[in-house]
Amino acid sequence: MNKNPENRIKEALRLDGNAYMRERGITLIELMITVVIIAILAAIAYPSYTQYVLRSHRTAAKTALHDMASRQERFFSTNNTYATTLAQLNYPAGASVPIPDASSHFYDLSISAANATSYTLIATSAGSQQNDLECANFTLDQLGSQGITGGTGTAQTCWR
């Protein structure tokens, strides 16, 4: 039995005959290939993610417009006229209502062209939602007509 520590290590590392086991690890080229693959996947995934986020904010704006329209109809059934201010619909006083809230809002709700027989409700994009070039601002009137302004899309595609 060989008692020299150096020889014992060599014997433990010997794989087959005189060949020694190669040390395990990754090379710089393997690391760079991995980084490039991750960058390509991120470049593909990030635009899809941002479009998903924009679409989810659109849903919040459309829901808020429908809620505001139902408040308008309740107000009309009681007063025989449509509300001209947000305060009349029990929203906080001001020119617009931030959606979903004041800390991180993506749309501002407002009433436009309201009178005794008609109204138009508008959800105007704000903050990061202004990057939504397809469906910028949503509109809804007393007849339930859904529209958009300022976007490249159509009302039919934006309201679905």
Side-chain angles (χ1 to χ4, degrees):
M1 180 172 205
N2 192 352
K3 295 193 181 199
N4 185 354
E6 187 177 310
N7 288 339
R8 274 193 278 159
I9 292 173
K10 285 182 180 178
E11 287 176 18
L13 292 176
R14 203 171 293 226
L15 181 63
D16 183 25
N18 288 332
Y20 290 97
M21 282 181 23
R22 186 173 159 221
E23 288 199 31
R24 305 254 177 211
I26 60 171
T27 66
L28 180 61
I29 293 191
E30 292 170 332
L31 181 63
M32 293 306 294
I33 289 171
T34 303
V35 168
V36 167
I37 290 171
I38 290 172
I40 290 170
L41 290 174
I44 292 169
Y46 184 73
S48 296
Y49 171 73
T50 56
Q51 286 300 313
Y52 171 77
V53 169
L54 291 175
R55 280 194 314 269
S56 69
H57 295 160
R58 289 179 203 159
T59 302
K62 293 181 284 189
T63 302
L65 281 177
H66 283 294
D67 176 61
M68 187 181 259
S70 71
R71 290 181 186 208
Q72 277 283 32
E73 295 305 325
R74 273 194 305 257
F75 188 87
F76 184 83
S77 68
T78 304
N79 301 301
N80 205 26
T81 186
Y82 288 113
T84 57
T85 66
L86 295 169
Q88 291 174 312
L89 298 177
N90 295 324
Y91 283 106
S96 64
V97 175
I99 297 299
D101 57 38
S103 64
S104 61
H105 79 282
F106 303 107
Y107 284 93
D108 290 318
L109 294 180
S110 59
I111 301 172
S112 173
N115 58 39
T117 59
S118 66
Y119 65 84
T120 300
L121 308 175
I122 300 174
T124 306
S125 60
S128 63
Q129 195 65 24
Q130 290 176 330
N131 296 330
D132 187 2
L133 302 177
E134 185 180 359
C135 304
N137 307 319
F138 292 92
T139 62
L140 184 64
D141 66 14
Q142 77 283 353
L143 299 175
S145 299
Q146 303 167 336
I148 64 161
T149 60
T152 60
T154 65
Q156 185 180 12
T157 59
C158 291
W159 274 90
R160 60 177 158 125

